[in-house]
Amino acid sequence: MTKNITEWLDKTAARFPEGLALHDEQEELTYQEYRIKALGIARSIIEKNIRHEPVIVYLEKGVNIPVSFFGIAYSGNFYSPVDTALPKARVSVMLSVLQPKLAITRRSLSWVLDDAGYRGERLFIEDICPAEDDEAVVASVLSGAGGEDLLYVLFTSGSTGIPKGVSITHRSVINYIEWADSVFSFTERDSFGNQAPFYFDNSILDIYCAAKSGATLYIIPKHLFAQPVPLLSYLKEHRITTIFWVPSALIVPAKLHAFRNVDLTSCLKRVLFCGEVMPARQLSLWRAYLPDVCYANLYGPTEITDACAYYIIDREFADYEPVPIGKPIRGVEMYLITEEDGKIRRVSKGASGEICVAGVCLSPGYYQNPEKTREVFVPNPFGSGLMYKTGDIGRYNARGELEYLSRKDFQIKHLGHRIELGEIETAADSVAGVSRSCALYDAVRHKIVLFAETGISSSFIEESLAHLLPAYMMPSKIIIMDEIPINCNGKIDRTLLQEYIT
């Protein structure tokens, strides 16, 4: 049984030493080179006598980040990636939570850490020099490693504006990756086209499924996601078989019908998506152009190791239908709950409720934040251990499939009715000509505001929605935009849109 994710790189480097492992715009590494460089990083950390500590990775996106992740894991520590584009103030807050003793960076970036108040040691990636006895040094440390050791801490936004560090163990990632490998059957002949930033949990599947199977991980240049034809051309040139992207990244090629210019039928096998709602109409466009591809909707917040539920698309959907999030992955239990008088109970059949998750996927909690941990990681009243209250609202459809409706934060009381803003977005996304939408509530004026990325008129959208929504759910205002802004993770930037209405 696998206890540590480093075992995958050991085995894959032994099986496919010359196989291409990582590729970015400047550099590529074989699996043998991948492992040797990671071991060199590990030895450098071990020599500093650092164990079971957070090590921050402050590098531009590229092959050196996953190499650093493995190097940190080999050293018996856990990693926390910090985006080089983050404002100094936010970096400072993350550093205050982690209190790291070591940062992996490069000399040209080191001054930014100085400005953010970092005073710990630095390991410069350009100075890593593998030695013959790296493996022996690392083996002595890994002999005591276990599945409950932390692998990483990823930061997610907090309701107070203070980011929370989500801790995840080796055991949770091993369960997730082994499940994904068993369902999607990755091999050394596959290649992943990475979209997710490495500080975003969607990247976990890319990095570790590739390392386990011997597939190649291609780190797609960020600028291509604004250029749909060059983006698809990149997939074709590198014979990408698997993509796991946020829906916003998938919408752009569909919106501009880029498939007419680039034929991916000879390479693309799997299109997986997670992180936000995938509009059924945009999914149908992908399926029309690439009908033989396996499409799957994955669901899960950072606190449950990226994804805890999945639905493999197996039928046609009307444009107004939500795409289900399906069923739990192996080792996971899910519940729909409601709370009354401080008591948790499951919702009745057909009713909506908060999605809660239990099982091996769960985070041990927020790093150095027991108060926030206790708020959402609660004793499981339906089984043993803890369950995580996701803050997401869901329900089971007539087929018994779990559907995501919206965030609990997006559930409003309007004109005496409880409304899920996500249902308004699903309806708007089904209107021909609307690429994507976002519904927000103006709490000051008590109005629903709909943002729509489209070239059609607001009156046409309003007329279309009147056939899909009850009167009390109709937006009071529709704002037409050429492009709805997205955040650094590729999701709709709701915080920025909120500024348009306040």
Side-chain angles (χ1 to χ4, degrees):
M1 177 180 287
T2 304
K3 293 195 305 181
N4 188 297
I5 58 96
T6 57
E7 295 174 38
W8 292 332
L9 187 54
D10 291 341
K11 293 174 182 176
T12 300
R15 291 172 61 206
F16 312 112
E18 300 307 315
L20 182 59
L22 300 169
H23 172 96
D24 65 22
E25 286 184 286
Q26 283 79 40
E27 189 177 0
E28 61 181 32
L29 297 174
T30 66
Y31 270 102
Q32 186 176 51
E33 293 168 335
Y34 192 175
R35 183 171 182 269
I36 288 172
K37 194 167 184 179
L39 289 173
I41 291 173
R43 185 209 174 102
S44 298
I45 298 172
I46 292 167
E47 288 178 341
K48 295 179 183 296
N49 199 29
I50 296 174
R51 283 291 309 277
H52 302 296
E53 294 280 349
V55 177
I56 65 169
V57 178
Y58 193 73
L59 293 166
E60 307 96 335
K61 189 176 183 183
V63 302
N64 284 316
I65 293 185
V67 170
S68 297
F69 290 172
F70 270 97
I72 293 164
Y74 273 122
S75 75
N77 294 283
F78 53 97
Y79 63 83
S80 188
V82 179
D83 180 16
T84 56
L86 280 180
K88 179 178 66 176
R90 187 172 176 88
V91 175
S92 296
V93 173
M94 294 166 68
L95 292 173
S96 69
V97 172
L98 290 168
Q99 295 293 310
K101 297 178 181 177
L102 180 67
I104 298 178
T105 186
R106 64 174 70 252
R107 283 188 172 79
S108 59
L109 294 171
S110 190
W111 67 272
V112 184
L113 294 177
D114 291 334
D115 280 0
Y118 178 67
R119 298 295 178 262
E121 293 192 71
R122 291 161 172 80
L123 180 61
F124 296 116
I125 196 73
E126 58 264 44
D127 291 347
I128 299 301
C129 186
E132 288 186 8
D133 60 344
D134 284 348
E135 192 155 353
V137 172
V138 169
S140 65
V141 169
L142 283 183
S143 61
E148 299 307 317
D149 291 343
L150 292 188
L151 174 59
Y152 62 75
V153 172
L154 295 186
F155 280 84
T156 183
S157 59
S159 57
T160 61
I162 299 174
K164 298 174 293 187
V166 180
S167 308
I168 297 293
T169 66
H170 284 262
R171 177 171 173 254
S172 294
V173 171
I174 289 166
N175 178 76
Y176 175 46
I177 298 304
E178 289 185 343
W179 163 81
D181 192 44
S182 68
V183 170
F184 300 109
S185 304
F186 302 119
T187 74
E188 73 278 6
R189 293 182 294 278
D190 281 307
S191 50
F192 290 80
N194 165 259
Q195 170 265 324
F198 290 138
Y199 55 81
F200 182 35
D201 58 342
N202 273 18
S203 66
I204 299 303
L205 186 143
D206 290 344
I207 295 168
Y208 295 110
C209 279
K212 182 179 185 298
S213 64
T216 304
L217 178 59
Y218 285 91
I219 301 168
I220 302 174
K222 184 178 179 180
H223 67 86
L224 289 182
F225 287 94
Q227 305 172 54
V229 172
L231 174 62
L232 298 190
S233 297
Y234 181 99
L235 300 185
K236 184 173 183 178
E237 176 188 351
H238 297 289
R239 301 197 59 79
I240 303 297
T241 65
T242 306
I243 58 175
F244 181 35
W245 297 353
V246 292
S248 289
L250 293 169
I251 286 171
V252 176
K255 169 187 173 183
L256 300 179
H257 301 281
F259 307 102
R260 295 173 180 169
N261 302 91
V262 185
D263 181 7
L264 297 178
T265 54
S266 63
C267 60
L268 198 59
K269 296 179 181 178
R270 308 172 192 88
V271 174
L272 317 179
F273 40 93
C274 186
E276 57 186 351
V277 172
M278 179 68 185
R281 191 164 58 82
Q282 307 294 343
L283 175 60
S284 296
L285 289 173
W286 272 83
R287 297 181 72 196
Y289 282 106
L290 296 166
D292 297 325
V293 166
C294 170
Y295 296 88
N297 186 21
L298 278 65
Y299 161 83
T302 307
E303 288 84 349
I304 50 75
T305 319
D306 189 27
C308 60
Y310 72 109
Y311 177 77
I312 295 178
I313 311 302
D314 59 358
R315 67 176 191 273
E316 299 298 321
F317 287 89
D319 289 348
Y320 57 83
E321 281 188 271
V323 179
I325 59 176
K327 59 185 179 182
I329 73 170
R330 185 175 59 210
V332 172
E333 298 161 3
M334 298 177 71
Y335 316 100
L336 287 184
I337 66 122
T338 185
E339 293 186 69
E340 294 178 4
D341 301 323
K343 293 183 178 179
I344 296 175
R345 63 175 179 82
R346 297 194 198 205
V347 300
S348 56
K349 187 176 181 180
S352 62
E354 183 175 5
I355 299 172
C356 293
V357 185
V360 68
C361 64
L362 251 61
S363 163
Y366 300 116
Y367 191 70
Q368 304 287 41
N369 196 338
E371 184 179 344
K372 283 293 182 184
T373 298
R374 286 192 294 269
E375 285 181 15
V376 291
F377 292 89
V378 302
N380 182 1
F382 314 113
S384 59
L386 299 177
M387 75 176 186
Y388 172 65
K389 297 165 66 178
T390 67
D392 292 337
I393 304 299
R395 70 180 171 208
Y396 287 97
N397 63 21
R399 296 170 179 261
E401 301 158 338
L402 185 59
E403 296 176 345
Y404 167 87
L405 296 179
S406 70
R407 286 288 299 163
K408 196 174 181 179
D409 305 342
F410 305 155
Q411 187 182 77
I412 64 169
K413 195 74 175 290
H414 181 62
L415 301 178
H417 298 272
R418 191 175 71 176
I419 296 171
E420 310 290 352
L421 293 176
E423 292 192 59
I424 299 173
E425 293 170 356
T426 298
D429 288 339
S430 74
V431 176
V434 175
S435 301
R436 53 188 149 192
S437 67
C438 178
L440 298 177
Y441 191 59
D442 183 344
V444 175
R445 301 171 185 82
H446 305 288
K447 293 182 177 181
I448 297 170
V449 179
L450 178 71
F451 295 86
E453 184 178 297
T454 183
I456 62 177
S457 67
S458 58
S459 58
F460 179 82
I461 296 173
E462 185 175 6
E463 183 180 340
S464 301
L465 290 179
H467 297 288
L468 299 170
L469 298 173
Y472 64 83
M473 291 180 69
M474 288 292 292
S476 301
K477 185 177 183 180
I478 298 175
I479 299 176
I480 303 298
M481 306 186 81
D482 291 333
E483 288 188 9
I484 286 183
I486 58 174
N487 62 24
C488 55
N489 292 337
K491 300 181 183 182
I492 291 174
D493 194 333
R494 295 175 184 272
T495 303
L496 182 58
L497 288 176
Q498 192 72 42
E499 296 178 6
Y500 284 79
I501 63 173
T502 55

